[in-house]
Amino acid sequence: MTLSSKKDVVIVGGGISGLIAANILENKGIKTTILDKGRGIGGRLATRRIPHSEDITGVFDYGMQLFTVTDARVQQLVDQWLAEDVITKWSNEYGDRKIPCYRGCESNRSLGKYLAKDLDVNLQTRAISVQNSDSGWTVKTESGQDFQGNILIMTCPVPQSLTLLKNSGFLLPSSIQSRLEGVSYYPCITILGLLEKLSLIPNSGWLTLNNYSVATIACNHKKGISPQGFAVTIHSTPEFSWDHWDTDDEIIVEKLLDSTSNWLGSKVIDYQVHRWRYSQPKTVYGEPFLALENPNSLILAGDAFSETPALNRYLTLEKAVLSGIKSAQYLENKM
Ligand SMILES: Cc1cc2nc3c(=O)[nH]c(=O)nc-3n(C[C@H](O)[C@H](O)[C@H](O)COP(=O)(O)OP(=O)(O)OC[C@H]3O[C@@H](n4cnc5c(N)ncnc54)[C@H](O)[C@@H]3O)c2cc1C
């Protein structure tokens, strides 16, 4: 077992919420460390490469596709990311709403990498228990490391945070436990499909279908992030995902390719299927974060921590950013 040096704040979850909180705290001189079970930083800001042959590699944004902004504090961050060419405006409308939509320039994961660049981040580090004592929090990881901090922030999807707390024998007040158990998420089955030829998706690279099976399709080649492969991301609807969660991959692929064939217009030469159990919150906690002082601060944050559901069920990244901002500000004022 190894013990890392004690930090002010240990953050479990390196999605955008944890990354935003860590940046705000570090700017105030509060030392943080982030633990994430993933191989890459950013959580649902997810990008994957599928090498097919010497000349063909597909690059897929396969989690969040684009985000919108309504809050002035988030707009300030977005303006900074635009100025630094980390993100770009993808479209000026979402459905029938005239509202700018943004995406990562190189990929969506590149926004996560940018936010992590000055932080202490531990990837492939799964927290398996959290212990609270007079001297602070100790987070034990699967690989046998111990991370210590005075404060613990957890930004995993709520059911994962609840499992971690339960496995640690940590009891939440029953009213809070039942509120947290009321938080739920939409699932999303995603196909990362590599095409033989360029797709027929409009030149913007993005299309909302919203029929029973397919919510959106995106051409990562037209978007500019997959120059060496005609890489298409197909996100199924929650309804299709609920109905087909346990269906074999081959059948799912057949159904989703069939529903999108008019827009693909090409043979699929390679594919992968990814099941997102928690894609966007369906029901939310009702506050931008949860803080417990017992005796050391425990904060729960992330996209499900918001006063109200998102205006559109797919556009929840901004909620995660706001939760990160507001939880960090709470701690900043307390310390
Ligand atoms: C398929 C899909 C499509 C989407 N499309 C859009 C869209 O178009 N527009 C939009 O606005 N939003 C979209 N979203 C939602 C958006 O991506 C999320 O709202 C946002 O990224 C959530 O950020 P977060 O920091 O709250 O959580 P996450 O990004 O999930 O971060 C939580 C992190 O916790 C880590 N973790 C969990 N358990 C542990 C553990 N035990 N130990 C260590 N680490 C752990 C995970 O690895 C993860 O990195 C989409 C999401 C998905 C999946």
Side-chain angles (χ1 to χ4, degrees), residues 214-317:
V214 177
T216 61
I217 46 176
C219 176
N220 297 285
H221 184 83
K222 289 186 178 175
K223 239 170 103 172
I225 70 160
S226 181
Q228 287 179 293
F230 301 127
V232 169
T233 303
I234 304 172
H235 281 328
S236 65
T237 58
E239 293 71 23
F240 179 92
S241 308
W242 277 311
D243 291 348
H244 294 87
W245 193 253
D246 296 318
T247 305
D248 287 345
D249 283 1
E250 292 70 26
I251 297 173
I252 288 174
V253 171
E254 198 184 304
K255 285 181 185 291
L256 293 181
L257 293 186
D258 192 45
S259 308
T260 48
S261 60
N262 286 349
W263 294 106
L264 300 184
S266 162
K267 201 174 128 195
V268 176
I269 54 174
D270 211 343
Y271 71 80
Q272 291 183 8
V273 177
H274 186 88
R275 286 170 174 73
W276 294 98
R277 190 175 289 281
Y278 310 113
S279 71
Q280 287 106 339
K282 180 169 183 278
T283 49
V284 295
Y285 183 71
E287 288 170 56
F289 60 91
L290 162 67
L292 290 172
E293 306 296 342
N294 173 29
N296 310 297
S297 301
L298 168 65
I299 307 288
L300 266 65
D303 60 354
F305 289 87
S306 104
E307 286 94 337
T308 51
L311 282 180
N312 175 295
R313 71 181 181 184
Y314 295 118
L315 299 175
T316 57
L317 187 102

Side-chain angles (χ1 to χ4, degrees), residues 11-19 35-38 40-46 62-68 94 122 125-128 155-157 160-161 164 188-190 206 216 235 276 278-281 301-304 313-321 323:
I11 301 176
V12 178
I16 196 154
S17 186
L19 289 167
L35 318 183
D36 198 288
K37 64 183 168 69
I41 194 70
R44 282 172 268 169
L45 287 174
Y62 69 103
M64 187 214 69
Q65 294 299 299
L66 52 80
F67 63 94
T68 55
Y94 188 89
N122 304 270
T125 304
R126 181 190 290 270
I128 55 167
T155 67
C156 326
Q160 293 178 335
S161 290
L164 188 49
C188 177
I189 300 179
T190 299
W206 164 259
T216 61
H235 281 328
W276 294 98
Y278 310 113
S279 71
Q280 287 106 339
D303 60 354
R313 71 181 181 184
Y314 295 118
L315 299 175
T316 57
L317 187 102
E318 185 180 21
K319 299 289 187 186
V321 175
S323 178

Side-chain angles (χ1 to χ4, degrees), residues 30 51 85 90 140 166-167 229 245 285 302 312:
I30 300 167
D85 288 333
W90 196 3
K140 291 186 180 296
K166 183 167 169 247
N167 292 346
W245 193 253
Y285 183 71
N312 175 295

